[in-house]
Amino acid sequence: MFGDLFEEDYSSVSNNHYGKGKKLKTKALEPPAPREFTNLSGIRNQGGTCYLNSLLQTLHFTPEFREALFSLGPEELGSLEDKDKPDAKVRIIPLQLQRLFAQLLLLDQDAASTTDLTDSFGWTSNEEMRQHDVQELNRILFSALETSLVGTSGHDLINRLYHGTIVNQIVCKECKNVSEKQEDFLDLTVAVKNVSGLEDALWNMYVEEEVFDCDNLYHCGTCDRLVKAAKSAKLRKLPPFLTVSLLRFNFDFVKCERYKETSCYTFPLRINLKPFCEQSELDDLEYMYDLFSVIIHKGGCYGGHYHVYIKDVDHLGNWQFPEGKSNLDVNLKDQKEEAIDDPLMILKAILLQEESNLIPVDQLGQKLLKKIGISWNKKYRKQYGPLRKFLQLHSQIFLLSSDESTVRLLKDYSLQAESDFQRNDQQVFKTLTSKSPGLNDRPSCPHWFDINDSKVQPIKEKAIEQQFQGKESAYMLFYRKSQLQRPPEARANPRYKVPCHLLNEMDAANIELQIKRAECDSTNNNFELHLHLGPHYRFFNGALHPVVSQTESVWDLTFDKRKTLGDLRQSIFQLLEFWEGDMVLSVAKFVPAGLHIYQTLDGDDLMLCEVDIADGEDIFVWNGVEVGGIQIPTGGDCEPLLLNVLSLTPSGEGGECQQLIESPRVFPSNAQLGTVFSALAIPEGVVVLISNTESIGEESWTTVPKEDLKKTFREQGLRNGSSILIQDSSSDNSLLTKQGKWITGVNDTDWLQVKNLCQLESEEEQVKVSATVNTVVFDIRIKAIKELKLMKELAENSCLRPIDRNGKLLCPVLDSYTLKEAGLKMGSSLGLCPGKAPTSSQLFLFFAVGSDVQPGTEMEIIVEETTSVRDCLKVMLEKSGLSGDTWHLRKMDWCYEAGEPLCEEDATLKELMISSGDALLLTEGKLPPLGFLKVPVWWYQPRIPSHPWKSRQDQASCTFSQGGDWRAASTQGAPSDGHAEGSLLFLGDVDISEDAALVELKSQAMTLPSFSEFCIPSPAFLRAWTVDSKRPGRLLRFHHQQLKEYKLGRRTEICLEPLQKEENLGPQDMLLRTQMRLPGKRAYTLPMDMVWDTARGSTAGSLRQRVADFYSLPVEKTEIAKYFPEKFEWLPVSSWNQQITKRKKKKKQDNLQGAPYYLKDGDTIGVKNLLVEDDDDFSTVRDDIAREKQKQLALGKKSQEALHVQSSDVASGAETPARPRGPEASLSIHVGSFR
């Protein structure tokens, strides 16, 4: 009723039924998850039913209502099994409500479904997606229940529990005659505006009198004249359960729009209604009411979500919530976080717990994972490097064995650390054992829960005070009489007064759920391992290779990952009856050189899921030492690298000619580069060049200095596929020249060019400074200052900045960097500029204002990398001379266009991966809150034979002009030289959560003011597209998919297209606009939508067959072409244009989704019937005019007499209208007649 007052929740529904791993394995649909620790069940949101869920949970936690409904048996209500019988009178709504309550009480699932209940309401899928008001639903649901229960013992159920009366009285001041009128109510509607709270509102309504005097006299029937009088209202009869509806939503008659009242409005946990009642002679306890439910609306007048705070009267749930963290708890948390962040403390603690303080390094990593729940590589590697390297760097604490396989604490340090560790450990132990008493320990403490669709969590009673005001505030209040006491047997007993047939149904359903969960659990926890048997392998050329074949050497084993490594070892022993001696299991991986062993699995008591074994992992089974009598190197450090080695060998007579030989060689990555000489039996007086690129060219080669030959292959940056070139140093010419392929002079450029940009006079404008890749930038700067003969003071206040090919100055280079670290190539140009370079903890940023940014106009700032986005924005605004709080920052891409905004204002630049040299844009306008999108929405009207939904002004055919108005288009059904480009009309912006679904976006768009011109029955009759280049771009399918899964981004615009009927496109369906060519005319009929199933291949033959069937034409007489609107060209689709790849010379089947057609949703396909028109021309007169205009524009002829092309491009200057809403949809529940 009040617009989009809900938010979708698809957390419990997923379309993805596939597990992650090396293999894509089909995963069965999982049963619903069991209840969480609260032992209460939520209700799944069907898309827009959060308002229904909140009310149903309130009724469910009203035990008297629930039990009164349960008391009605099948003899009165009928049976759901008979609902389809024509003569059976089955009261479906109360039956489905009974069944839902039984599921909420007894069925072991985290969330129940309301699909059966809403089906009994007569709701369609559109109704379940449509937004409604919970106060309106409360009245309509009670009315439907009253109608459904006519003629049963429960006919007065609603009246008995919720019905009250109000008496309105007018007392004549002259004759004291009392005129009264009685009104019934099921809920009290109270004002919120200009009222401080509930008691204040009730006082205004039922205590204060309205006096009729002066010009506003009352006509008394007894006196028969105008007299002074007093009008008042009182509560005459109070119901057991009092429902209060708060009027949060009002209308502003000045702005002509709705708004939500978010001011503070208090309400008590216990209220005494005696002052507001007509009869007040009874005891105060008769008038006391306790709050037990608060339905909360979060959001504004045009968007939001419902959830409910509920008091668990019967203590059905498990309410365990700490009263608050003590200082001791906070200190303990800080100690734990500090310990986890310090790897030294963690590793020392692990080693001190070992008997001899000695442990294998691999096992140390496993124990670290078990202790803190995260591996070394994920937690510390980026900051501290590999584990072994870390241990080596802290040699004053840790002692590694000679082969680096084991580690222990140094003895002197061990004694000192052990005493410190024990002292700290005792302190932490004391902290752990002193727990704060929870609220659950107090029996008198009420148990409150926050039920938010599927999610249920305990809350404190104090949390209710947070719902007094704001955008998330109370909307409905439910009170129960304090005198209503629950029987002791109902406490913590969910089976209390549940009918036997429902108990049996729920018990059977729970057994079925347990069986399904056990099956699913078994399926999900099994993974596949590939066992490589050591005796079937041999070691040669630096890696392991099968002796016979890969098939015979590998065994596949399916195993439960919840079992331990010892269980896996025992299972393999049983499989391999021939095995003798020790068995070691190691993780292996295939590399280009062969199979390599990386890590040995230790710790038989660890579960497989704890040792980081993935599905489809390769496990090498061996004795841990040798294979075939050869000792095997293991670990990532000695991973074999397959390299291409190029060298010269003599050929021809006398060996005068030399030939370049390329041979693949395998080397351990931790071996020194100089081992190449011994492997190839080459003397060391040669030059070595290396290349890390796939293509061999002069620019990719780097000479290795003699001192670097002692570095390892990995330190030199070599990887699989890298090349090594061996060249004689005594040769005058380069080897590259002799081959005639490469240019000479690999080391020609050993200098950098430095330009004087300090605005100081100098004899030289630029100088060349000699350098190598290891030269420090500081040395180059000082040399340049000396050679330019500039002042020595510049040494303290200058920096070097690279100059790109366009002459732009880039980010300053740190003085401490070498040229290699700074990424500077020999021969580069640098600018000597005034000002210090940023430190290693600072960022040098470019920024500009607005969107029309030209290269070279950016400003520059230096900020700390720990600066927040908000502070950085302030600095940039100050430097730009701007003010105000309606600005935000965006990243700028390489083509000077605005990229994604920096939404997290409190995040640091470092956390957002902003680095030196990045460019930011100061953009006007405030960003939507984090997790929300501001989506511009357009109305798209394609040129189709008939309008599915006409506007209220009966605008049957129209296009949108550049000025923003609608103008008439061609006559319906008449030939047209245009194409399927329809018209776009800007509707407005929609603020929506990224977690919302596409259908919710459509629903909100339907409430925009401009949308009121169109009569669309439901969101299902709208097709959504992204807007690309002022045209529909990507088709957004799947109504219930969350917007964040579409990865729309914050600049995406959406257009909505009306449909004649609902559609449900599959992932393989392609939507095309087809137009039939009119014979004898260079024109087409109006376009028609055609769906093409590409599941069997998107080939030309398949498309031609689909088009022929669509137009009832013979396929051999059907010709088709794709239209390219940017070029105004048609490309015929032929079945014979099969492409031939250059390398394999093999024909591959044509795919229209690839080059040159790139066919996608929304493309226009021209259709020609060769029976009546046999030519190759698909173009129209409009295409000729448009191409001519493009040609004139390309030649620079922009005359006013240029031909006008009737284009239906989007008007870019459309203004965003205000936000009044469209027509409201009424809420109804369909009930049969039982009178």
Side-chain angles (χ1 to χ4, degrees):
M1 177 179 180
F2 286 102
D4 189 11
L5 304 180
F6 65 91
E7 191 176 77
E8 295 182 27
D9 174 18
Y10 292 109
S11 58
S12 58
V13 182
S14 174
N15 295 325
N16 182 16
H17 305 315
Y18 298 96
K20 291 183 178 179
K22 290 186 177 180
K23 278 193 174 181
L24 192 65
K25 300 199 297 184
T26 303
K27 187 177 179 182
L29 186 64
E30 294 187 2
R35 300 189 180 206
E36 296 185 357
F37 69 98
T38 60
N39 200 33
L40 294 179
S41 176
I43 300 177
R44 281 191 290 276
N45 194 324
Q46 295 188 52
T49 56
C50 56
Y51 67 102
L52 172 66
N53 297 348
S54 300
L55 182 60
L56 289 174
Q57 289 284 15
T58 300
L59 297 177
H60 167 242
F61 280 94
T62 309
E64 292 77 5
F65 176 87
R66 185 181 70 226
E67 290 163 7
L69 195 64
F70 279 150
S71 67
L72 304 174
E75 63 279 359
E76 291 188 276
L77 301 180
S79 173
L80 288 173
E81 297 174 355
D82 302 330
K83 65 179 180 179
D84 295 326
K85 294 181 180 179
D87 299 329
K89 284 195 173 182
V90 180
R91 303 169 195 264
I92 302 178
I93 292 178
L95 283 172
Q96 291 291 3
L97 208 52
Q98 280 185 347
R99 192 164 176 268
L100 176 65
F101 286 168
Q103 290 175 352
L104 292 173
L105 285 170
L106 300 170
L107 197 58
D108 185 21
Q109 59 180 2
D110 64 339
S113 171
T114 55
T115 305
D116 293 337
L117 179 64
T118 53
D119 287 347
S120 72
F121 292 169
W123 290 0
T124 63
S125 58
N126 299 328
E127 193 69 39
E128 290 153 1
M129 297 297 168
R130 189 173 289 146
Q131 57 273 20
H132 290 291
D133 179 41
V134 70
Q135 296 176 4
E136 180 187 21
L137 173 70
N138 183 55
R139 301 179 189 117
I140 292 174
L141 180 59
F142 279 4
S143 175
L145 279 173
E146 284 185 316
T147 306
S148 297
L149 297 177
V150 168
T152 69
S153 59
H155 65 92
D156 62 341
L157 185 150
I158 302 298
N159 190 67
R160 189 171 72 247
L161 297 179
Y162 296 95
H163 178 262
T165 56
I166 300 171
V167 58
N168 295 296
Q169 296 180 340
I170 300 178
V171 180
C172 176
K173 296 282 183 145
E174 300 290 335
C175 65
K176 306 301 180 183
N177 179 59
V178 179
S179 173
E180 69 176 35
K181 180 182 178 183
Q182 182 171 300
E183 295 178 7
D184 299 327
F185 71 87
L186 293 178
D187 65 304
L188 291 179
T189 303
V190 297
V192 174
K193 186 178 180 182
N194 299 326
V195 182
S196 62
L198 176 62
E199 290 168 308
D200 190 16
L202 292 175
W203 185 272
N204 294 339
M205 295 169 65
Y206 302 118
V207 176
E208 291 188 352
E209 293 182 341
E210 181 184 356
V211 178
F212 298 105
D213 58 3
C214 299
D215 296 335
N216 187 26
L217 296 175
Y218 168 72
H219 184 273
C220 176
T222 304
C223 302
D224 196 22
R225 62 188 176 88
L226 294 174
V227 296
K228 292 182 179 181
K231 180 182 178 182
S232 63
K234 290 288 183 181
L235 296 172
R236 174 167 284 180
K237 177 199 168 190
L238 292 175
F241 297 93
L242 180 66
T243 304
V244 182
S245 298
L246 307 183
L247 290 176
R248 284 278 184 192
F249 298 102
N250 290 313
F251 191 83
D252 189 334
F253 288 95
V254 177
K255 296 182 179 179
C256 291
E257 66 179 11
R258 284 204 187 111
Y259 69 95
K260 181 178 179 180
E261 188 65 53
T262 58
S263 58
C264 183
Y265 188 90
T266 62
F267 47 88
L269 297 173
R270 170 169 283 192
I271 188 170
N272 186 354
L273 298 178
K274 188 173 183 177
F276 318 117
C277 292
E278 183 183 32
Q279 299 173 354
S280 57
E281 64 274 5
L282 299 176
D283 187 71
D284 280 4
L285 288 176
E286 295 288 337
Y287 304 100
M288 300 299 290
Y289 280 76
D290 292 327
L291 183 71
F292 76 97
S293 178
V294 183
I295 293 182
I296 299 157
H297 177 253
K298 177 183 178 182
C301 187
Y302 298 119
H305 175 64
Y306 286 106
H307 63 109
V308 61
Y309 286 179
I310 286 183
K311 181 180 178 181
D312 183 10
V313 179
D314 282 345
H315 288 207
L316 300 174
N318 181 25
W319 191 77
Q320 292 183 351
F321 195 93
E323 196 168 62
K325 293 184 178 179
S326 64
N327 293 332
L328 209 55
D329 294 330
V330 175
N331 293 337
L332 175 61
K333 182 181 178 182
D334 292 341
Q335 286 179 19
K336 285 185 176 180
E337 289 179 351
E338 184 180 350
I340 290 177
D341 289 335
D342 185 5
L344 269 177
M345 191 179 297
I346 293 291
L347 295 176
K348 286 186 289 186
I350 294 173
L351 286 169
L352 284 170
Q353 291 174 350
E354 298 297 316
E355 291 181 0
S356 59
N357 295 340
L358 181 70
I359 191 174
V361 175
D362 292 334
Q363 193 172 343
L364 179 63
Q366 297 296 334
K367 288 188 177 288
L368 174 75
L369 171 66
K370 191 173 182 181
K371 190 173 185 69
I372 66 173
I374 189 170
S375 67
W376 174 276
N377 287 345
K378 291 181 180 178
K379 179 70 178 175
Y380 304 112
R381 185 184 179 98
K382 187 175 182 181
Q383 185 175 357
Y384 298 101
L387 178 58
R388 280 188 174 83
K389 184 179 180 182
F390 180 82
L391 297 173
Q392 290 170 353
L393 291 174
H394 294 82
S395 57
Q396 75 279 11
I397 301 173
F398 305 106
L399 180 62
L400 280 166
S401 61
S402 58
D403 59 352
E404 298 184 353
S405 61
T406 60
V407 62
R408 66 178 178 85
L409 285 173
L410 289 174
K411 288 184 178 181
D412 296 338
Y413 187 86
S414 175
L415 295 173
Q416 176 190 352
E418 188 168 2
S419 61
D420 295 340
F421 176 76
Q422 288 176 353
R423 185 167 58 253
N424 294 335
D425 197 40
Q426 288 174 1
Q427 182 181 353
V428 173
F429 177 75
K430 288 178 182 178
T431 309
L432 285 169
T433 53
S434 58
K435 294 183 180 177
S436 303
L439 291 176
N440 212 27
D441 300 332
R442 293 180 288 170
S444 61
C445 186
H447 294 188
W448 283 86
F449 291 91
D450 178 10
I451 306 182
N452 190 346
D453 289 337
S454 305
K455 188 177 181 181
V456 183
Q457 58 184 7
I459 58 170
K460 307 174 190 177
E461 197 172 53
K462 285 184 179 179
I464 299 173
E465 297 176 4
Q466 299 173 4
Q467 308 305 328
F468 286 166
Q469 63 185 347
K471 288 192 174 182
E472 182 176 8
S473 49
Y475 190 56
M476 283 188 80
L477 309 175
F478 297 84
Y479 286 88
R480 56 183 289 126
K481 263 196 173 182
S482 301
Q483 288 186 329
L484 292 174
Q485 298 296 323
R486 297 292 296 150
E489 56 269 23
R491 188 179 180 89
N493 181 12
R495 302 176 73 89
Y496 182 69
K497 288 198 174 181
V498 180
C500 290
H501 69 282
L502 287 175
L503 286 174
N504 296 333
E505 181 184 345
M506 295 303 113
D507 290 342
N510 278 325
I511 293 172
E512 185 179 354
L513 275 176
Q514 288 177 2
I515 295 172
K516 286 184 177 178
R517 285 186 186 127
E519 293 174 352
C520 186
D521 191 48
S522 175
T523 303
N524 292 343
N525 286 290
N526 285 344
F527 63 177
E528 193 171 298
L529 301 175
H530 305 302
L531 304 179
H532 300 262
L533 309 182
H536 294 177
Y537 275 79
R538 58 174 179 160
F539 184 83
F540 72 97
N541 204 13
L544 292 162
H545 300 271
V547 176
V548 183
S549 67
Q550 190 73 34
T551 307
E552 295 182 12
S553 305
V554 180
W555 289 20
D556 292 333
L557 175 66
T558 302
F559 205 72
D560 190 340
K561 59 185 173 186
R562 294 169 297 182
K563 292 187 177 181
T564 65
L565 184 61
D567 296 333
L568 175 62
R569 199 188 309 275
Q570 189 62 35
S571 298
I572 297 175
F573 260 122
Q574 294 174 0
L575 285 173
L576 308 177
E577 298 176 354
F578 60 85
W579 193 272
E580 295 180 0
D582 295 336
M583 176 183 287
V584 175
L585 304 180
S586 301
V587 176
K589 291 181 182 177
F590 282 102
V591 294
L595 188 70
H596 180 66
I597 299 174
Y598 283 86
Q599 176 189 358
T600 298
L601 300 176
D602 292 317
D604 282 2
D605 56 337
L606 294 177
M607 289 193 296
L608 296 180
C609 56
E610 296 177 330
V611 294
D612 275 349
I613 297 181
D615 187 18
E617 194 81 78
D618 293 293
I619 303 296
F620 194 72
V621 185
W622 60 316
N623 59 12
V625 181
E626 51 84 22
V627 172
I630 301 175
Q631 190 168 352
I632 306 299
T634 63
D637 292 340
C638 59
E639 176 186 317
L641 297 178
L642 183 61
L643 306 175
N644 296 319
V645 180
L646 297 92
S647 59
L648 284 174
T649 58
S651 64
E653 294 181 5
E656 295 179 357
C657 299
Q658 290 185 319
Q659 182 180 1
L660 181 65
I661 300 298
E662 180 179 357
S663 60
R665 294 276 181 167
V666 177
F667 298 94
S669 55
N670 61 352
Q672 293 182 359
L673 190 58
T675 57
V676 174
F677 300 131
S678 57
L680 299 177
I682 296 175
E684 295 192 8
V686 296
V687 177
V688 177
L689 300 96
I690 59 175
S691 170
N692 288 319
T693 59
E694 294 180 2
S695 60
I696 301 174
E698 186 265 334
E699 293 181 353
S700 65
W701 293 96
T702 305
T703 304
V704 180
K706 190 173 182 180
E707 59 271 16
D708 286 352
L709 292 176
K710 294 183 179 180
K711 291 185 177 180
T712 65
F713 288 93
R714 178 152 290 167
E715 288 171 343
Q716 288 287 356
L718 290 168
R719 57 184 183 270
N720 284 299
S722 297
S723 299
I724 297 178
L725 177 63
I726 307 297
Q727 178 179 324
D728 189 356
S729 59
S730 61
S731 176
D732 295 333
N733 296 323
S734 169
L735 171 66
L736 306 177
T737 307
K738 293 185 178 181
Q739 291 303 310
K741 296 181 181 179
W742 307 319
I743 305 171
T744 59
V746 177
N747 290 315
D748 282 350
T749 33
D750 53 359
W751 47 263
L752 294 171
Q753 184 169 275
V754 181
K755 295 183 179 180
N756 176 21
L757 300 178
C758 290
Q759 298 179 350
L760 297 174
E761 292 185 1
S762 170
E763 295 180 5
E764 300 287 341
E765 291 186 1
Q766 59 187 30
V767 292
K768 287 185 178 181
V769 179
S770 59
T772 66
V773 291
N774 295 317
T775 304
V776 180
V777 173
F778 175 78
D779 296 337
I780 296 175
R781 187 164 63 86
I782 298 302
K783 285 182 184 179
I785 292 173
K786 289 180 180 178
E787 294 187 22
L788 288 169
K789 299 179 181 179
L790 296 173
M791 295 184 298
K792 294 182 179 180
E793 288 78 6
L794 280 176
E796 299 296 328
N797 191 28
S798 63
C799 61
L800 289 179
R801 297 177 62 177
I803 303 174
D804 67 7
R805 62 182 66 184
N806 297 319
K808 178 185 174 182
L809 284 172
L810 303 181
C811 174
V813 183
L814 292 181
D815 279 347
S816 59
Y817 280 8
T818 64
L819 296 186
K820 185 176 182 181
E821 291 171 338
L824 295 174
K825 294 182 179 180
M826 292 299 178
S828 300
S829 293
L830 300 175
L832 181 66
C833 303
K836 289 185 178 181
T839 64
S840 58
S841 64
Q842 291 179 324
L843 299 177
F844 183 93
L845 301 176
F846 298 97
F847 74 96
V849 181
S851 56
D852 188 15
V853 181
Q854 300 299 323
T857 60
E858 308 96 325
M859 291 175 274
E860 303 163 353
I861 60 167
I862 296 177
V863 293
E864 294 291 333
E865 61 183 4
T866 54
T867 304
S868 67
V869 174
R870 182 182 285 104
D871 293 338
C872 182
L873 176 62
K874 289 179 182 177
V875 173
M876 291 180 175
L877 286 172
E878 185 177 345
K879 186 159 186 177
S880 306
L882 300 172
S883 60
D885 57 354
T886 58
W887 296 85
H888 66 274
L889 288 177
R890 289 178 178 267
K891 284 187 176 181
M892 187 161 59
D893 60 20
W894 63 274
C895 54
Y896 291 87
E897 291 185 357
E900 289 297 313
L902 306 183
C903 303
E904 302 177 47
E905 292 188 337
D906 294 325
T908 65
L909 299 175
K910 183 179 181 181
E911 291 171 345
L912 296 180
M913 309 297 287
I914 303 295
S915 54
S916 284
D918 284 351
L920 302 179
L921 271 182
L922 268 173
T923 309
E924 194 166 11
K926 258 198 168 181
L927 289 173
L930 193 63
F932 281 77
L933 297 172
K934 188 168 187 174
V935 184
V937 180
W938 300 78
W939 175 262
Y940 174 61
Q941 184 64 65
R943 303 178 63 185
I944 54 178
S946 62
H947 271 230
W949 307 106
K950 296 184 179 181
S951 69
R952 295 187 184 275
Q953 284 78 22
D954 201 22
Q955 294 168 320
S957 179
C958 49
T959 52
F960 188 56
S961 68
Q962 196 69 16
D965 56 303
W966 291 84
R967 50 193 172 89
S970 56
T971 308
Q972 303 261 342
S976 169
D977 65 348
H979 309 294
E981 300 175 33
S983 55
L984 285 170
L985 171 68
F986 186 66
L987 297 177
D989 294 329
V990 170
D991 292 323
I992 192 167
S993 169
E994 290 179 331
D995 295 327
L998 178 63
V999 67
E1000 187 173 347
L1001 174 64
K1002 295 178 183 178
S1003 299
Q1004 289 202 33
M1006 290 176 66
T1007 60
L1008 290 172
S1010 303
F1011 203 96
S1012 60
E1013 298 297 321
F1014 310 105
C1015 300
I1016 302 296
S1018 73
F1021 288 84
L1022 290 174
R1023 182 188 289 153
W1025 304 80
T1026 60
V1027 178
D1028 298 333
S1029 303
K1030 302 181 182 180
R1031 294 186 180 89
R1034 177 162 58 106
L1035 177 62
L1036 305 181
R1037 44 189 101 209
F1038 309 124
H1039 294 296
H1040 304 304
Q1041 188 162 316
Q1042 290 180 315
L1043 296 179
K1044 63 184 178 183
E1045 295 178 13
Y1046 290 109
K1047 299 180 180 178
L1048 297 178
R1050 291 184 173 265
R1051 293 186 296 164
T1052 303
E1053 300 183 14
I1054 299 295
C1055 64
L1056 300 176
E1057 175 189 350
L1059 299 174
Q1060 291 179 325
K1061 60 181 181 180
E1062 298 183 27
E1063 72 176 5
N1064 185 18
L1065 296 176
Q1068 299 293 329
D1069 291 338
M1070 185 180 292
L1071 179 72
L1072 300 173
R1073 318 275 194 194
T1074 59
Q1075 292 182 269
M1076 175 62 74
R1077 177 88 166 183
L1078 295 173
K1081 301 178 181 178
R1082 297 186 66 197
Y1084 290 87
T1085 60
L1086 290 174
M1088 299 175 65
D1089 287 350
M1090 183 191 77
V1091 178
W1092 175 35
D1093 184 5
T1094 62
R1096 297 183 180 179
S1098 52
T1099 62
S1102 173
L1103 178 59
R1104 181 177 282 101
Q1105 183 65 55
R1106 177 69 183 101
V1107 171
D1109 295 341
F1110 187 75
Y1111 283 99
S1112 302
L1113 296 174
V1115 66
E1116 67 275 5
K1117 295 299 180 181
T1118 303
E1119 193 65 34
I1120 55 178
K1122 182 199 168 179
Y1123 183 62
F1124 290 87
E1126 300 87 0
K1127 301 178 181 179
F1128 301 96
E1129 293 179 353
W1130 295 85
L1131 181 61
V1133 179
S1134 170
S1135 299
W1136 312 109
N1137 61 343
Q1138 297 189 354
Q1139 302 172 5
I1140 299 177
T1141 61
K1142 293 181 178 179
R1143 291 188 177 181
K1144 296 189 177 180
K1145 301 294 183 183
K1146 180 182 177 183
K1147 290 184 178 181
K1148 64 176 183 179
Q1149 197 173 27
D1150 57 331
N1151 181 0
L1152 298 184
Q1153 296 183 45
Y1157 300 101
Y1158 299 104
L1159 204 60
K1160 63 183 184 305
D1161 291 307
D1163 281 348
T1164 300
I1165 298 295
V1167 184
K1168 187 181 292 187
N1169 184 357
L1170 298 181
L1171 292 172
V1172 295
E1173 187 177 18
D1174 190 6
D1175 60 49
D1176 299 330
D1177 182 28
F1178 276 88
S1179 63
T1180 65
V1181 176
R1182 176 179 178 270
D1183 296 329
D1184 296 341
I1185 297 173
R1187 284 196 298 269
E1188 181 63 27
K1189 183 177 180 180
Q1190 280 187 339
K1191 185 177 179 181
Q1192 290 179 4
L1193 290 175
L1195 295 173
K1197 296 180 181 179
K1198 299 180 180 179
S1199 62
Q1200 293 184 354
E1201 293 81 15
L1203 294 174
H1204 176 66
V1205 180
Q1206 293 182 353
S1207 166
S1208 55
D1209 286 349
V1210 179
S1212 59
E1215 295 181 0
T1216 304
R1219 285 181 176 268
R1221 305 289 277 185
E1224 296 170 355
S1226 62
L1227 177 66
S1228 62
I1229 296 177
H1230 307 286
V1231 188
S1233 176
F1234 300 103
R1235 297 186 183 276

